[in-house]
Amino acid sequence: MASASLFLAACGGGSSSDDGGDGGNGGNGGAPAADVLDKASGVTTVAFWHAMDGTNAEALTKLVADFNSQNTGKIEVKATYAGKYDDAITKYKAAIQSKSTPDVIQIYDIGTRFMIDAKQTIPMQSFIDRDKLDVGDLQPNITGYYSIDDKLNSMPFNTSMPVLYYNKTLFKKAGLDPEAPPQDLAAIRTAAEKLSKKAGGPADYGFGAAIYGWLLEQFIATDGKEYCDQGNGRDGKATKVQFDSPEAVEVVKWWQTMVKDGLAANTGRDTKAAQAAFKSGQLAITLESTGQLGGYSKAAKEGGWELGAANYPHIKAGTEGGPIIGGASLWINGENHEDANKEAAWRFVKFLADKKSQAQWHTGTGYFPISKGALDEPVDVDYRKANPLFDVAVKQLEGTKLSKATQGCLLGVMPQARKASEDGLEAALNGTDAQQAMTKAADSLKAQISQYNSSVK
């Protein structure tokens, strides 16, 4: 309850004097006139907060420098690392209260409902409609997450998808077809029975993945079901989570039994532990983001084994759902910002979404390009020739039918919901009845969801 109160404290924010419509959802004011920046004198500075570090930060710094060089004397973007995702949104909430938000901020996917409800930002749709901009180049299954009623709230930036990774070399040793990876829970168990040491197989465990709520969300989506009510929070504010549904509990029970039978490892919540176990050959099959393709490919090359990748598995064969994208998007703040800054921020966001920028971003980081055209850029074509397994994700994204299930849940307390689902899954893997564990986890969120919804107008 205390954490929910802190979460809501930042939703204050006054109303903007520039109330030109919000593009349909929660934004603060509309886009300014298109020529405001042209009329501005001197250099307009764009404060940009992001959550990228390491190699990703290097790639982003290069893009910022490219934009600044193209806009010398007119716009200068000043990028600031705001910490990891959770830290960045916490810092942003404090900035709302002190009326010192940046012009552009990168916020993770599960912060979307809060960003809409905070009423600080100008939806991208306002700029798109003003400019009559053709956004047909943007991947619909990526923009879908950040859209309500076909109106785009923020611009997707760094995007990932989950896939199934497997060790082809271990498959061969176990007498399995390395070109026929399992694509549903029953098939994963059948393969694990031949791969696991307990059954005389070549791996310590046939399967293993981190206790990560995002993975459970994916199973629910691939089954065509919704994670929360109210059309996954898109027909109205969600009032409950549904990861205690029969479908979700079936996944948890399957995972629990796999661990109990010695066919799956319980590597805990630390994603790095599961990643290390797969890289070392302890696990033959795992579930992870496309962002791990580079690391897994390197480990396979150094370890002398062959890596395989396939679509994210379904609970049962034959269902038509697909996985949900993850990552983060860019938001333009309107409250307490000058029109010139809003327009400069929009030009920067457009630059980052451009096919050339997205090809550069994709090949420099491994994140999925939000632009269809980026895949045709020479640098991207060469990258995918060198990393052919990445095309698995491309085809999976393009083959997923956009629906409320695959758009993902918009929930004001989604970070807490993800943690609660992990509490339930972990309790089940440690021996608690699967239904009981997931029901308790879902019930633990009722008060927080209710408090959030009653506190947001």
Side-chain angles (χ1 to χ4, degrees), residues 72-269:
T72 301
K74 200 65 181 175
I75 306 172
E76 182 181 8
V77 175
K78 292 189 176 180
T80 301
Y81 176 63
K84 294 185 182 299
Y85 287 142
D86 287 333
D87 298 327
I89 199 168
T90 298
K91 184 176 179 181
Y92 178 70
K93 292 170 188 175
I96 293 175
Q97 294 180 317
S98 63
K99 298 182 179 179
S100 59
T101 59
D103 298 297
V104 182
I105 186 166
Q106 178 192 33
I107 294 291
Y108 60 178
D109 52 349
I110 56 178
T112 298
R113 181 76 259 176
F114 166 76
M115 292 298 292
I116 293 171
D117 292 338
K119 296 180 171 61
Q120 298 291 309
T121 61
I122 303 173
M124 295 298 157
Q125 198 67 44
S126 289
F127 291 98
I128 292 168
D129 291 346
R130 184 200 71 186
D131 294 348
K132 296 181 173 56
L133 188 67
D134 181 3
V135 292
D137 180 55
L138 300 179
Q139 290 280 5
N141 281 348
I142 296 178
T143 57
Y145 186 100
Y146 303 102
S147 301
I148 299 178
D149 297 330
D150 297 322
K151 297 182 185 298
L152 188 64
N153 290 285
S154 59
M155 184 65 74
F157 181 50
N158 54 306
T159 301
S160 58
M161 292 193 84
V163 295
L164 179 144
Y165 292 101
Y166 65 106
N167 187 316
K168 285 188 171 184
T169 303
L170 292 175
F171 265 57
K172 291 175 185 176
K173 289 181 179 178
L176 296 168
D177 183 353
E179 304 307 322
Q183 287 289 268
D184 58 68
L185 298 185
I188 293 176
R189 181 178 175 98
T190 297
E193 287 171 346
K194 293 187 177 182
L195 289 160
S196 301
K197 181 186 292 184
K198 185 172 182 179
D204 287 348
Y205 298 96
F207 173 79
I211 297 174
Y212 185 21
W214 188 52
L215 300 180
L216 185 59
E217 292 160 35
Q218 305 302 333
F219 277 115
I220 295 171
T222 59
D223 202 55
K225 303 299 191 299
E226 294 166 6
Y227 184 86
C228 55
D229 68 347
Q230 296 293 335
N232 247 350
R234 295 170 184 278
D235 295 333
K237 286 199 170 55
T239 63
K240 65 178 180 178
V241 292
Q242 300 176 155
F243 54 66
D244 58 342
S245 66
E247 297 81 14
V249 172
E250 182 178 350
V251 176
V252 174
K253 192 175 292 184
W254 167 84
W255 202 327
Q256 178 189 57
T257 304
M258 289 278 285
V259 170
K260 181 181 177 182
D261 293 347
L263 302 177
N266 182 355
T267 56
R269 299 194 190 200

Side-chain angles (χ1 to χ4, degrees), residues 328-410:
S329 65
L330 305 174
W331 298 78
I332 294 176
N333 284 291
E335 182 75 10
N336 301 308
H337 289 260
E338 297 295 329
D339 283 352
N341 294 79
K342 299 171 189 176
E343 179 62 20
W346 166 237
R347 294 188 188 185
F348 175 56
V349 168
K350 275 200 302 182
F351 168 81
L352 292 179
D354 177 76
K355 63 181 182 179
K356 290 186 180 297
S357 296
Q358 279 296 302
Q360 183 178 325
W361 176 245
H362 170 210
T363 57
T365 65
Y367 280 116
F368 203 99
I370 69 168
S371 159
K372 299 174 189 174
L375 296 171
D376 296 324
E377 290 292 304
V379 65
D380 208 291
V381 172
D382 291 343
Y383 172 84
R384 285 181 292 115
K385 281 182 180 178
N387 299 276
L389 290 180
F390 192 83
D391 276 333
V392 169
V394 173
K395 292 174 182 176
Q396 177 177 249
L397 181 75
E398 294 174 346
T400 296
K401 182 180 179 181
L402 189 64
S403 67
K404 285 174 181 171
T406 59
Q407 277 181 286
C409 168
L410 295 184

